[in-house]
Amino acid sequence: MRDTNKLIEKFIKTFGEEPELVTFAPGRVNLIGEHTDYNGGHVFPCALTRGVSCAARRRGDRKLRFASADLRGKIITTDLDSLSPLTRRLWSAYPEGVIHAFLEAGFFIDSGADFLFYGDIPSGVGLSSSAALEVATGVMLREMFGLRLSSERIALLCQRAENRYVGVSCGVMDQFASAMGRADHAVFLDTATLRFDYAPLAMENAEIVIVDSKVKHSLAGSAYNDRRRECEQALEAIKTVLDTDALCHITPDQFEAVKDVIADPVCRKRAKHAVYENARTVAALEALEKNDIFEFGRLMNESHISLRDDYEVSCAELDILTELAWGIPGVIGARMTGGGFGGCMVSIVEKSAVGGFTESVAAGYEAKTGLKPSFIRVRPGDGARKLAF
Ligand code: GLA
């Protein structure tokens, strides 16, 4: 239903009136820089052309009503005065959380509203459908209530909503990529300062292909928070010998010199990943600027190995996918992407090899796991925006 007219029709069917506005926010795929965004490091995602559309209309009272076109328009109702963090298990916690974050930040939202969402990216597979849902809501609030705030600020408020209202301690990468993406570019973001650059991704002979493993392990949420804690513990130890305020602010050489101060071997491995992954991400930008796509691919492969062995957020299925990909001629680089424990692999594949790649990966993966993966050929898209009216 990227067809805006269909979304509008569905809105009328669900809520009985026309929407005032339609917005869209994309999902994202991270090329490299995984689990660095809560360690003060760099990330390198690009926005997708798929994501979440939102149609909405202000109301004369303080009611908030949310419906999803994918869920047959079932309506969830609350109101502006009942928003309460960490109490919701429903999907509407994401848009509610964004409204709550806007109100807390002092933005004037003086009436309720009806919202209808439609997503065309799979959820829970590491492509940030929840960030897209949040950012589509944030842009809707800005446009519908005439609020003055930048897209960067929207990304930060959406992250706050996810941290405080939904209860997931994520970094800012997903919301930032969704809000700030640019067609045919990746966003090279320093998560410590929020300074960013757009890096052109016009690869003449190669394309980005996402492979969905079709698995999601239940560990994902709690393991994410464990990793954060382990990194914090490693940082505390490092701080006793080095003046730094984030793991990603130290170089691999500095890390090697002081690593033994981290007594716990698990925390030491986690810190090693964060430090080296940040260095790889900076090197990946340099490689891209020099048009050295093969070096970029090599760094992606190293990133996977580090996520698999040191950060331990991969899983058997993602390892099978990457091993398969690495063995296929024309594959420039491949790694798991997103939080991990299932979800997707991102790969860069020579254009002429894409057909063979999808066939071999599908056959090999099905033979080993009994699962049929799905493929998304990526064209980096623009960030969140108003679509209609
Ligand atoms: C999830 C989080 C992000 C980031 C990645 C891992 O997508 O939402 O903030 O930490 O995992 O790189």
Side-chain angles (χ1 to χ4, degrees):
M1 211 171 306
R2 278 300 295 293
D3 178 346
T4 309
N5 290 332
K6 281 202 186 139
L7 188 67
I8 293 171
E9 266 170 40
K10 180 87 184 175
F11 187 96
I12 298 170
K13 224 166 136 194
T14 310
F15 294 118
E17 276 184 285
E18 276 207 355
E20 280 180 66
L21 280 171
V22 180
T23 59
F24 169 78
R28 66 95 188 94
V29 62
N30 190 22
L31 301 177
I32 193 162
E34 215 67 84
H35 291 279
T36 48
D37 67 346
Y38 50 86
N39 285 309
H42 294 82
V43 293
F44 209 173
C46 58
L48 303 173
T49 48
R50 302 184 186 196
V52 173
S53 308
C54 170
R57 177 181 189 90
R58 278 171 293 176
R59 300 175 51 88
D61 57 19
R62 294 178 68 77
K63 257 193 205 159
L64 295 166
R65 296 196 296 173
F66 304 98
S68 157
D70 328 59
L71 301 175
R72 297 210 194 137
K74 190 171 168 293
I75 299 174
I76 299 170
T77 305
T78 180
D79 63 77
L80 278 174
D81 309 301
S82 310
L83 299 177
S84 166
L86 304 177
T87 52
R88 286 292 226 188
R89 289 190 188 283
L90 301 165
W91 65 267
S92 65
Y94 295 99
E96 284 178 32
V98 176
I99 298 169
H100 187 257
F102 271 62
L103 287 170
E104 261 194 343
F107 289 104
F108 193 60
I109 297 176
D110 56 349
S111 74
D114 293 334
F115 297 85
L116 176 70
F117 296 95
Y118 174 75
D120 63 357
I121 28 169
S123 61
V125 302
L127 300 179
S128 295
S129 60
S130 44
L133 178 54
E134 291 156 2
V135 174
T137 307
V139 173
M140 177 57 81
L141 296 178
R142 174 176 69 190
E143 301 295 327
M144 198 162 61
F145 291 96
L147 308 174
R148 289 173 65 91
L149 77 166
S150 66
S151 296
E152 281 109 315
R153 183 84 198 278
I154 290 181
L156 286 169
L157 288 172
C158 290
Q159 180 202 11
R160 191 181 166 81
E162 186 142 348
N163 293 167
R164 303 276 296 268
Y165 198 91
V166 182
V168 178
S169 326
C170 63
V172 75
M173 166 169 71
D174 306 347
Q175 292 80 4
F176 199 92
S178 178
M180 301 296 293
R182 178 184 282 183
D184 298 324
H185 290 74
V187 185
F188 182 77
L189 169 69
D190 178 346
T191 60
T193 59
L194 292 189
R195 281 222 292 269
F196 67 99
D197 276 316
Y198 290 114
L201 264 186
M203 299 179 291
E204 248 174 59
N205 301 316
E207 54 180 279
I208 301 167
V209 184
I210 297 170
V211 185
D212 182 354
S213 70
K214 295 289 167 72
V215 294
K216 188 77 203 166
H217 295 287
S218 56
L219 258 172
S222 59
Y224 187 89
N225 292 342
D226 290 345
R227 296 300 179 281
R228 281 199 75 143
R229 219 173 334 99
E230 288 154 359
C231 286
E232 279 159 22
Q233 206 176 310
L235 178 63
E236 282 315 305
I238 288 181
K239 274 181 169 172
T240 61
V241 290
L242 209 69
D243 182 20
T244 182
D245 49 14
L247 284 180
C248 292
H249 292 174
I250 59 182
T251 64
D253 283 347
Q254 283 176 313
F255 176 75
E256 293 302 331
V258 302
K259 66 182 180 196
D260 291 335
V261 76
I262 310 168
D264 182 318
V266 171
C267 294
R268 202 181 312 134
K269 284 205 288 188
R270 307 297 191 241
K272 179 182 167 205
H273 167 78
V275 171
Y276 279 81
E277 180 76 354
N278 186 52
R280 276 190 288 274
T281 309
V282 174
L285 176 69
E286 285 164 14
L288 202 64
E289 284 171 348
K290 286 190 213 135
N291 243 327
D292 188 351
I293 195 71
F294 294 99
E295 173 62 5
F296 195 97
R298 194 189 64 74
L299 293 162
M300 288 173 75
N301 298 348
E302 270 190 9
S303 165
H304 184 82
I305 293 167
S306 175
L307 289 159
R308 183 189 69 193
D309 299 344
D310 288 331
Y311 218 64
E312 297 179 281
V313 291
S314 187
C315 61
E317 293 85 353
L318 286 171
D319 293 340
I320 290 170
L321 279 178
T322 41
E323 292 285 344
L324 282 167
W326 293 339
I328 297 170
V331 173
I332 295 166
R335 58 181 284 275
M336 57 150 278
T337 184
F341 298 102
C344 292
M345 169 176 82
V346 59
S347 46
I348 299 186
V349 184
E350 280 173 17
K351 278 207 168 95
S352 57
V354 172
F357 168 78
T358 53
E359 267 173 39
S360 306
V361 170
Y365 188 63
E366 194 172 355
K368 290 205 160 131
T369 63
L371 296 163
K372 283 191 197 323
S374 61
F375 298 86
I376 302 175
R377 294 172 80 155
V378 175
R379 169 104 204 274
D382 278 319
R385 57 201 177 267
K386 187 163 97 171
L387 279 190
F389 306 98

